[in-house]
Amino acid sequence: MTAADMRRVGVVGGGQMGAGIAEVCARAELDVLVCETGARAAAAARERIAVSLERAVQRGKLDRISAEASLARIAVTADLTDLEDRQLVVEAVVEDTVAKTEVFAALDKIVTDPEAILATNTSSLPVMRLGMATDRADRVVGLHFFNPVPVLPLVEVVTTLHTSPAAKHEVTDFATRILGKSVVHSTDRAGFIVNALLVPYLLSAIRMTESGFASAADVDRGMELGCAHPMGPLRLADLIGLDSVASIAESLYEEFKEPLYAPPPLLQRMVAAGLLGRKSGRGFHAYDRGGEPR
């Protein structure tokens, strides 16, 4: 199968990442089917995509005709078996090994094309474990997008010991030629490239705030103005989602047992309290309903 043959794309999970992946695929003129856990969640996923497309129109990044055509290419379902005819399925459910493994085991039985690629958008979990839940581990890859997916240009293509060279080539070609993304390649290790470098930096900023050494505002301002970073580490953690940061940190620590990867107590308490950052309206900073800083 070539990248040009991948016209029917499935996305499992319609949250922030899944909706973004569905949107970029639809904007690339692909037939997209998003699967969620129920009818209400599926409708919410479609609305999430519609809002993102409208935002692109308002910001002059997309014309209205293209936005409406993109939305028309997206269907939603609450039945995983509807993905049977997909040529590429991207899993984007909660960052939990058990949940993701169950999805891959089910997709292996549902997706009929033996040449179809099953991809995971995991940011840190072992791709090998997901591949081994199927009978087609050679067609399982990591396809890690970054948030917000319609804006950020990078995709990490992650291969396991079983991933075939053909599958690696096909998804790389798909991400670059069809979606217009830039690709970096990583082998299957916790955090891959970007998060293995980024997360210790974010955790260090959290520990600095936790200790009372500096406020969240000053930590962020220091890195923005002193190092020319477009966004400070704590505001970036809020954007990613503090639950996601904690989950990635736990995966990194489990694999490497290095103290710098361990999630700080403050981060764990904030997650337990539902203070997840931008998506919940409050993290290290406060946000309005549109996700803009207050």
Side-chain angles (χ1 to χ4, degrees):
M1 184 186 299
T2 67
D5 295 325
M6 296 182 198
R7 307 306 302 173
R8 298 187 300 276
V9 176
V11 180
V12 184
Q16 193 170 33
M17 292 302 296
I21 294 167
E23 179 182 336
V24 297
C25 288
R27 287 170 68 167
E29 302 185 359
L30 303 175
D31 173 355
V32 182
L33 181 58
V34 179
C35 184
E36 258 291 359
T37 53
R40 181 177 296 181
R46 185 175 175 82
E47 178 62 21
R48 192 171 290 116
I49 297 165
V51 168
S52 177
L53 287 167
E54 177 61 27
R55 188 181 301 121
V57 171
Q58 295 300 323
R59 292 177 177 175
K61 304 295 184 181
L62 191 67
D63 65 80
R64 186 161 298 282
I65 292 175
S66 296
E68 291 173 354
S70 295
L71 189 61
R73 296 187 191 102
I74 298 171
V76 296
T77 182
D79 187 348
L80 200 65
T81 62
D82 289 341
L83 299 175
E84 63 179 353
D85 70 337
R86 300 291 102 174
Q87 296 156 313
L88 169 67
V89 180
V90 183
E91 168 275 314
V93 303
V94 63
E95 194 76 351
D96 176 79
T97 301
V98 173
K100 289 180 183 292
T101 301
E102 289 176 353
V103 168
F104 271 79
L107 288 174
D108 186 44
K109 296 177 174 63
I110 291 168
V111 179
T112 57
D113 186 349
E115 293 302 305
I117 288 180
L118 305 182
T120 176
N121 185 58
T122 181
S123 53
S124 62
L125 298 177
V127 179
M128 173 67 80
R129 192 174 302 174
L130 306 181
M132 294 304 289
T134 76
D135 289 328
R136 54 176 104 187
D138 62 318
R139 304 294 292 172
V140 173
V141 300
L143 199 56
H144 180 218
F145 293 81
F146 291 82
N147 184 40
V149 180
V151 176
L152 294 188
L154 186 67
V155 174
E156 288 180 311
V157 171
V158 183
T159 53
T160 75
L161 295 173
H162 282 308
T163 304
S164 70
K168 176 182 177 180
H169 172 75
E170 288 160 25
V171 295
T172 299
D173 206 29
F174 176 83
T176 54
R177 285 206 308 120
I178 306 301
L179 300 185
K181 298 290 188 180
S182 295
V183 165
V184 293
H185 293 96
S186 173
T187 53
D188 185 23
R189 49 160 277 169
F192 315 135
I193 297 172
V194 175
N195 281 323
L197 295 171
L198 174 65
V199 170
Y201 161 63
L202 301 183
L203 299 181
S204 179
I206 293 170
R207 291 189 188 99
M208 183 173 285
T209 302
E210 181 179 50
S211 71
F213 185 84
S215 68
D218 284 344
V219 168
D220 280 345
R221 183 180 293 272
M223 295 308 294
E224 289 165 6
L225 301 184
C227 294
H229 287 196
M231 185 180 294
L234 299 174
R235 195 169 293 285
L236 178 55
D238 280 352
L239 175 62
I240 294 168
L242 300 188
D243 52 342
S244 295
V245 173
S247 177
I248 297 167
E250 288 163 1
S251 295
L252 287 164
Y253 185 70
E254 181 180 351
E255 181 152 329
F256 300 112
K257 300 297 189 293
E258 294 283 352
L260 78 164
Y261 294 128
L266 176 60
L267 176 61
Q268 295 173 317
R269 297 294 185 278
M270 292 178 74
V271 171
L275 306 178
L276 307 181
R278 184 172 170 179
K279 61 186 173 184
S280 70
R282 181 181 163 196
F284 287 98
H285 302 279
Y287 305 85
D288 62 23
R289 286 188 172 183
E292 296 301 320
R294 287 183 182 173

